[in-house]
Amino acid sequence: MHPAFSVIFFTTCSGAGYGLLAMMGIWGAAGMLPSERWMGLSGLLFALTLVTVGLLASTFHLGRPERAWRAMTQWRSSWLAREGVMAVLTYIPAALFGLGWVWFEDTTGLWAVAGVVSAILAWLTVICTAKIYHSLRPIHQWHNDWTVPSYLLLSIMSGAVLMSVLVHLFGAENPYIQGLTVVTLALGWGLKTLYWGFNKRSSGLPTVNSAIGIDAAGDVSVLELPHTSDNYLMKEMGYKVAQKHADKLRTISHVTGFALPLVFSALAMFIDGYAALAAVVLAWGLCSLGIIVERWLFFAEAKHTVNLYYGATKV
Amino acid sequence: MTSLPSHTNKKLGLVIDLDTCVGCHACATNCKSWNSGGHSAPLTDYDPYGPQPDGVWFNRVHSFEVKRGDRPNLTINFPRSCLHCDNAECVTVCPTGASYKRSEDGIVLVNTDKCIGCKLCSWACPYGAREFDADEGVMKKCTLCIDRIYNENLDPEDRQPACVLACPTSARHFGDLNDPESKVSQLTAARHGRDLMPELGYKPTNKYLPPRARKIDSADIGAPEELEPFEADGFLGWLDKVLSK
Ligand code: SF4
Ligand code: SF4
Ligand code: SF4
């Protein structure tokens, strides 16, 4: 699939935003963060900015952005509509939680409930995003059991890495918060490695023979294409990345998205002051880069069944 | 409403004969021609006279070669258009209600006034039947020529899809696949019509008839297999000698 910048930017940016929002909600409600105004303002504002910028970016790739509101009407059948509804709903408890934290400097009681609800809705929104991809049966690399857990865990992980930066900035370091960052990085790395392994081993059921209804008759190859230059289908779904390049990018993603952030985040537990701050900032920067590469591969390595009509023998 | 109808009264669709299709592209060009002024018009072209012409088409004709071991290779001309699937997930993924399947005849359509151009339906179609119109910012697809098949201004024999009428070998047939008595249903039964990619469970309405077994040896028509060389004499013999030098 064509790795469109707007979609890569949307899923990574709002993924991190929802992850951070959930961290603020859970740790805030648990009383592990100072209920001091500036902490709440910076954390929630940053989270909601990431979410909003991501959502806006996702409307840029629409053919008719001015009609985007219509995208929420079919929540009964469409995961994309459900994602839109969830995204809007999440703002409500998040705003209430923000009101309590920033205005009243209170994160307990009903305000805490709003925090927990924001976290749950944030996670549900990310699950809806993942389900959009997971529900597409023509794309075997997405229509499998790894897609949804991987989206959710990587969102939580990106949020945790950001949370570490925030608590270090406000001098609110806490071994539980930092510990969770380390644990989510390790789990995210493991899960993504297994997911990549699955996609390497496994391919979809349809073949070129079943695509043209000539089963078991022999080896089918393209004699002539229907058109002389690339059409919409080939531009949108015929994207090919050379195995060599994909493997190189995967290594970059392993190292910058997971390995180095894991090392720096773990290191930050044993040092303090500016050194610890530098470590968590470095972990965040590297992790963001690695996750963008991971997301690029998620699209570029997805093989749509329409390629069977254009020369692919398996997808 | 992008939930699928629980059942459709009719299942209008096409039966395409891969045995007789000669790959002439007549169906594709007539589809383009009719639909350029039809329900989903215009069928935008980009750079039509330039080096990289591209544009929206509802029907594309591929050609494949099948290598079959010691039997001769087989050429398959394969027209590809919307199959008006029963389980059309191109419809259920649509967030706006622009894509829908009609309960009266099973035809899958796009309401281009509601479409936001998110392209998700084209990702959900395994068969590549939907093409995005970048100029208009909306998705387009085969309409099964609803503006012909119900068109009272046309003579009854012309109330058929443009692609069906254009086919010089009658490789395309239109009818109700829900009715076991219909010509298309009987043809499908007699020729073991296939679903494309049945593994994915989209339950396409359109059927494809696989090529029938072909004879490898030619029939005996009483003519000699090889011609005897002709030895001329006289003037013709002299001419042959001179010209063969
Ligand atoms: S062929 Fe594709 S566009 Fe047509 S109904 Fe089936 S899934 Fe939808
Ligand atoms: S491109 Fe249009 S028809 Fe297709 S899913 Fe999006 S809104 Fe629906
Ligand atoms: S039925 Fe009509 S719109 Fe569909 S492929 Fe045939 S000519 Fe084109």
Side-chain angles (χ1 to χ4, degrees):
Chain A
M1 301 294 290
H2 172 66
F5 172 75
S6 60
V7 188
I8 294 174
F9 185 73
F10 157 62
T11 58
T12 50
C13 193
S14 59
Y18 284 120
L20 178 60
L21 178 63
M23 287 294 141
M24 291 290 287
I26 297 292
W27 292 125
M32 306 282 269
L33 294 172
S35 59
E36 182 257 332
R37 173 163 301 145
W38 295 109
M39 171 89 210
L41 186 69
S42 5
L44 290 174
L45 199 64
F46 194 48
L48 291 177
T49 306
L50 283 175
V51 164
T52 311
V53 169
L55 289 172
L56 286 178
S58 75
T59 63
F60 291 158
H61 86 286
L62 298 180
R64 293 290 193 126
E66 77 281 7
R67 298 180 183 166
W69 61 272
R70 285 190 187 275
M72 282 188 284
T73 60
Q74 302 303 311
W75 54 270
R76 278 190 201 82
S77 74
S78 163
W79 284 105
L80 177 51
R82 288 173 195 158
E83 179 202 43
V85 172
M86 282 301 169
V88 171
L89 284 183
T90 308
Y91 282 102
I92 301 169
L96 280 177
F97 188 50
L99 183 72
W101 199 334
V102 177
W103 191 260
F104 299 106
E105 299 204 311
D106 185 359
T107 50
T108 59
L110 280 181
W111 303 120
V113 174
V116 174
V117 174
S118 325
I120 293 171
L121 288 183
W123 288 329
L124 286 177
T125 311
V126 174
I127 289 174
C128 288
T129 308
K131 283 297 284 181
I132 297 173
Y133 301 109
H134 172 256
S135 67
L136 296 170
R137 284 194 264 176
I139 304 165
H140 179 71
Q141 291 72 25
W142 296 351
H143 183 67
N144 61 57
D145 294 341
W146 299 95
T147 307
V148 176
S150 143
Y151 257 83
L152 183 61
L153 190 53
L154 292 196
S155 161
I156 294 175
M157 182 188 101
S158 312
V161 172
L162 260 174
M163 192 77 234
S164 290
V165 175
L166 208 69
V167 288
H168 279 85
L169 276 178
F170 281 85
E173 296 92 325
N174 169 322
Y176 293 104
I177 293 180
Q178 195 56 27
L180 185 77
T181 306
V182 173
V183 169
T184 55
L185 278 164
L187 290 178
W189 192 9
L191 188 66
K192 192 65 213 193
T193 306
L194 291 173
Y195 187 0
W196 275 327
F198 169 82
N199 275 350
K200 191 164 190 179
R201 282 193 315 276
S202 170
S203 52
L205 289 176
T207 60
V208 59
N209 296 59
S210 75
I212 64 171
I214 306 286
D215 27 63
D219 292 336
V220 181
S221 55
V222 169
L223 190 60
E224 217 168 44
L225 289 181
H227 35 87
T228 48
S229 48
D230 283 2
N231 66 345
Y232 164 71
L233 299 172
M234 296 173 80
K235 287 175 196 154
E236 181 79 2
M237 289 167 247
Y239 192 86
K240 280 190 200 78
V241 48
Q243 196 57 48
K244 202 173 66 195
H245 293 153
D247 288 341
K248 210 175 277 170
L249 286 168
R250 206 177 336 272
T251 309
I252 293 178
S253 184
H254 272 299
V255 174
T256 62
F258 304 99
L260 289 178
L262 186 62
V263 170
F264 286 120
S265 299
L267 186 69
M269 296 187 79
F270 304 102
I271 54 181
D272 43 32
Y274 285 119
L277 180 64
V280 293
V281 168
L282 214 56
W284 170 52
L286 288 165
C287 184
S288 308
L289 177 74
I291 295 305
I292 288 173
V293 176
E294 178 271 332
R295 212 48 53 88
W296 189 90
L297 283 169
F298 177 78
F299 287 95
E301 290 194 307
K303 299 183 194 78
H304 193 282
T305 48
V306 79
N307 288 296
L308 295 171
Y309 295 111
Y310 288 95
T313 45
K314 60 177 194 173
V315 283
Chain B
M1 190 55 195
T2 56
S3 297
L4 292 170
S6 58
H7 100 285
T8 62
N9 300 336
K10 286 184 177 180
K11 282 186 195 172
L12 296 187
L14 301 173
V15 170
I16 297 173
D17 191 343
L18 296 182
D19 201 26
T20 51
C21 173
V22 290
C24 69
H25 296 251
C27 58
T29 46
N30 204 36
C31 169
K32 178 83 174 173
S33 166
W34 173 261
N35 284 291
S36 293
H39 176 269
S40 298
L43 259 64
T44 306
D45 281 321
Y46 326 108
D47 195 23
Y49 303 105
Q52 298 283 308
D54 182 13
V56 181
W57 291 64
F58 296 163
N59 188 4
R60 305 268 190 185
V61 183
H62 297 249
S63 296
F64 295 95
E65 182 161 54
V66 188
K67 293 199 180 63
R68 304 184 298 169
D70 42 7
R71 285 182 298 160
N73 290 356
L74 198 63
T75 301
I76 304 279
N77 299 299
F78 177 86
R80 180 172 57 78
S81 54
C82 173
L83 310 169
H84 297 279
C85 306
D86 246 6
N87 188 20
E89 293 194 355
C90 57
V91 169
T92 51
V93 299
C94 175
T96 62
S99 276
Y100 60 105
K101 183 173 175 73
R102 310 207 303 182
S103 57
E104 60 271 35
D105 52 17
I107 298 179
V108 174
L109 292 172
V110 178
N111 177 347
T112 49
D113 291 335
K114 278 190 182 170
C115 175
I116 57 172
C118 68
K119 303 177 183 165
L120 192 56
C121 54
S122 66
W123 295 9
C125 171
Y127 312 103
R130 292 171 169 247
E131 299 200 5
F132 183 66
D133 183 333
D135 271 11
E136 301 224 309
V138 294
M139 193 56 73
K140 299 200 170 165
K141 68 176 290 298
C142 157
T143 66
L144 203 63
C145 286
I146 41 157
D147 40 11
R148 292 193 67 91
I149 58 177
Y150 296 115
N151 192 336
E152 310 243 309
N153 296 320
L154 297 176
D155 292 335
E157 63 271 26
D158 284 336
R159 291 180 203 157
Q160 292 207 50
C163 54
V164 172
L165 291 174
C167 180
T169 62
S170 296
R172 298 175 81 99
H173 308 265
F174 164 72
D176 179 8
L177 285 136
N178 213 17
D179 170 11
E181 299 304 314
S182 70
K183 210 185 76 193
V184 281
S185 296
Q186 302 214 323
L187 194 56
T188 305
R191 294 275 309 281
H192 307 288
R194 301 279 165 82
D195 283 355
L196 302 184
M197 294 190 226
E199 310 89 341
L200 295 183
Y202 278 56
K203 302 204 186 95
T205 299
N206 287 10
K207 303 288 180 245
Y208 282 77
L209 308 179
R212 286 167 282 203
R214 284 177 197 178
K215 290 204 190 90
I216 294 176
D217 299 321
S218 54
D220 184 7
I221 54 167
E225 282 198 0
E226 273 177 54
L227 295 177
E228 295 289 320
F230 175 68
E231 297 283 354
D233 44 29
F235 173 70
L236 284 180
W238 171 80
L239 196 63
D240 182 43
K241 241 184 250 162
V242 170
L243 293 177
S244 313
K245 264 184 193 154

